[in-house]
Amino acid sequence: MTIIPPAFLFRHAISLPEINELPHKRGNLLKLPESASIPDLSFEQKSGKWGNVKLAWNKNGLGIGLKVDQKQHPTTASEYIQVWIDTRDTKTVHRANRYCHSFQFRPTRNPEKQNQPYCEQLTIHRAQADAPMCELSEILLWAKINPTGYELESWLPASVLNGFEPSAYPQLGFYYAIFDSELGEQFMIVDHEFPFAQDPGLWATMRLGT
């Protein structure tokens, strides 16, 4: 039995591609390349990886894409991805601050209107200070549901990310967790045994390089 998870042996830092054309005005919001895929950082071979998460950025905001394609049952309103973003990548403080955000995205909110994705902003438990609540209408969403799963894309403009200043702070703290009624749960690094939902020190670093 391993006392320390293998993921803790590394300080994860990932360079995100800068794509100036984002978001697209027609069709898919993002159409992110494979170079934008987030690698599996959990080192848990038994769990497998059924959700492919992609990230890209430009000076105007951050794009997040998710593709799930191993489902055998219909996609429901229970499926979602939750992300945590720290625009200042604070690793020395273990409680969230006003630069730490959490958003939850669903490919559908109503099974009868499947291609209508949904987003909400959540507060972070035990935060020293909460990020400002944003205007959700500024967040762009796109989803496509098919027999084997779904695609979900979101564009978070700089206006909804307090402290998003890539030229001055060229890296972000980031974490994700995916929940599926059929496939279970997928975590970016560690699972619920660790307080990733409230501790920015457990989030990976995303480098906003060129």
Side-chain angles (χ1 to χ4, degrees), residues 146-160:
N146 55 64
T148 60
Y150 61 89
E151 294 180 63
L152 175 61
E153 297 180 346
S154 62
W155 175 254
L156 301 176
S159 59
V160 308

Side-chain angles (χ1 to χ4, degrees), residues 121-180:
Q121 182 179 4
L122 306 175
T123 58
I124 298 177
H125 182 57
R126 298 187 67 248
Q128 294 177 337
D130 292 324
M133 298 302 290
C134 73
E135 181 57 56
L136 292 177
S137 61
E138 298 182 18
I139 298 176
L140 303 181
L141 300 171
W142 175 90
K144 180 179 180 181
I145 296 176
N146 55 64
T148 60
Y150 61 89
E151 294 180 63
L152 175 61
E153 297 180 346
S154 62
W155 175 254
L156 301 176
S159 59
V160 308
L161 296 172
N162 185 43
F164 184 77
E165 302 175 49
S167 60
Y169 300 92
Q171 58 189 41
L172 304 171
F174 182 82
Y175 202 90
Y176 75 77
I178 313 171
F179 301 87
D180 188 276

Side-chain angles (χ1 to χ4, degrees), residues 31-67:
K31 300 179 184 177
L32 297 180
E34 282 304 313
S35 60
S37 293
I38 302 300
D40 184 2
L41 304 177
S42 67
F43 297 94
E44 293 289 341
Q45 296 182 356
K46 64 179 181 179
S47 63
K49 182 180 178 182
W50 41 264
N52 184 21
V53 178
K54 296 181 179 181
L55 293 179
W57 73 283
N58 59 42
K59 65 180 181 180
N60 298 316
L62 181 70
I64 304 172
L66 168 64
K67 183 176 182 179

Side-chain angles (χ1 to χ4, degrees), residues 72 78 90 106 129 138 142 171:
Q72 298 181 9
S78 299
T90 306
R106 298 177 187 267
E138 298 182 18
W142 175 90
Q171 58 189 41

Side-chain angles (χ1 to χ4, degrees), residues 106-110 113-118 143 145:
R106 298 177 187 267
T108 180
R109 189 179 186 182
N110 184 343
K113 300 178 180 179
Q114 289 198 344
N115 292 335
Q116 293 188 4
Y118 172 72
I145 296 176

